[in-house]
Amino acid sequence: MKNHKFLLFVLVLTLGLFLAACGSSDEGEESGAEGTEEDTSGEGEATASGDYSIAMVTDIGGVDDKSFNQSAWEGISAWGEVNGLSKGDGFDYAQSSDKADYMPNLTRFVRDEYDLVYGIGFELKEDIQKAAEQFPDTHFALVDDVVEADNAVGITFSEHQGSFLVGVAAAMKTTTDKVGFVGGVDSPLIKKFESGFIAGVKSVNPDIEVDVQYAESFADAAKGKLIATNMYDSGVDVIYHASGATGNGVFNQAKDIKQNDADRDVWVIGVDRDQHEEGVIGDHNVTLTSMVKRVDVAVQDLANRGMNGDFPGGEILEYGIEDDAITVATTNEEAMTEDIISAVEEYQEKILNGDIEVPHTEEELTTFLDSL
C-alpha cells in the first residue's frame, strides 16, 4: 500500500514538473524566439538578443591597414564594448592574406553561428554573394559594393562628394599647380574617388594638373612609395591616395622628403580614417587632411538595426555628408588654414543644396569639366 502511494506521489510530482517546464518553454518562445531564430526573408524578424553576434572578414589590406578595414574593426569593437561583449565572444574578425581566404573565413563565421557577417571591401563581392545564397539563415553585409540577396545588405558611401571637397583643399594648398591621385585597384569604386577629386580641384582652378596613377593593389606599400617618389620628383606637392595599405608608402615617401628637407612642403591627403597620425615626422606633419569615410559608423548602425530586429535585407544603404558619414578632417590646424576650411564649407553647402552634382564616373567627369 505504501509503495502504491509513493508511486502515485512520484507520478503527480513528475506531471507537475512537466507542466511547469512546458509553461516556461512557451513563455521563452514568446519573449525570445525571434531573437534566436534567424530571419531568412531579410526583412528583420529577429529582435534584440544578448546572444546577438557580429564578425567581419577583411580584404587583403588587413585589419591594421590604417584605412577602411581598420575603421570597420574599430566600429565593430566599439559596438561590442557598448553591448558588454569581447573579441571572440560576441564579435570577431578574420584576416585575409589572399583572395582565396575570403570564402573559408566567411564559412567559419557561419559555422560559429554569428548572426551578422561583414565582408570589408568590394573584392569580397563574389564570395559574399555566394555565402548569402548558401547560408540563408545568416545575415551578411558587404562594405563598398552591392549584393543581391534577401539576407544581405550592401553598404555604400558618397565617396565622390568627400573626394570633391578634399580636391578643393588640394587646389587651395598647392603652390606648384600640380597635384596627384594614387588609386589602389582601378575599379568603379576608386573611380568615384578619382572623379570627385579631379572635379573639386578643377572647380577651384581648371589649370591645375592632376597626375593619376594606380598601384593595382590595396596592400603594396612599396609600390605606393615608388609612385609617390615619381610624383613628388615631377613637381607634385599634394597627393590624395585612395589605396588602402598601399597609401602607407605614399606617407613614407612624403615623410622621407620632409626629413631630408624641412623647408620643402609636400602633402598627403588621407582616406577613410583621419590619417593625421600617419603624417607625423618630428615637429612636422605631412597630412594635409583626410577624406573620412565613417565605415565605423555604418557597421555600428547596421549591427544595431539587426540586433533590434530591423535588418534591411535586400537593400542598398548609402551613407553621405548629410549622415556625418563623409567628412573632411581639419586636425592639422596649421595646414588647413581658415581660408581653405571656408572654401571647403562653401562647396559642401553647394553639394548639399544641389547646386553642384559631383561626378562619380569618367563620363560624368568629362561632362562636368566641360561645364566649367
Side-chain angles (χ1 to χ4, degrees), residues 267-319:
W267 303 101
V268 183
I269 296 176
V271 74
D272 295 334
R273 299 172 69 251
D274 182 355
Q275 295 190 306
H276 180 263
E277 292 184 1
E278 308 311 312
V280 175
I281 177 70
D283 295 330
H284 303 283
N285 194 308
V286 298
T287 304
L288 171 61
T289 182
S290 297
M291 197 287 286
V292 182
K293 183 172 76 173
R294 298 297 302 274
V295 182
D296 57 333
V297 170
V299 297
Q300 289 181 75
D301 177 53
L302 184 59
N304 285 328
R305 292 171 70 171
M307 185 175 66
N308 293 323
D310 190 29
F311 184 79
E315 295 185 18
I316 301 170
L317 306 180
E318 182 172 15
Y319 296 84

Side-chain angles (χ1 to χ4, degrees), residues 36 38 52 79 106 113 122 205 213 239 242 246 367:
T36 57
E38 277 292 345
Y52 196 82
W79 177 87
L106 292 169
E113 298 184 341
F122 69 87
N205 183 356
Q213 296 188 44
I239 296 177
T246 296
T367 301

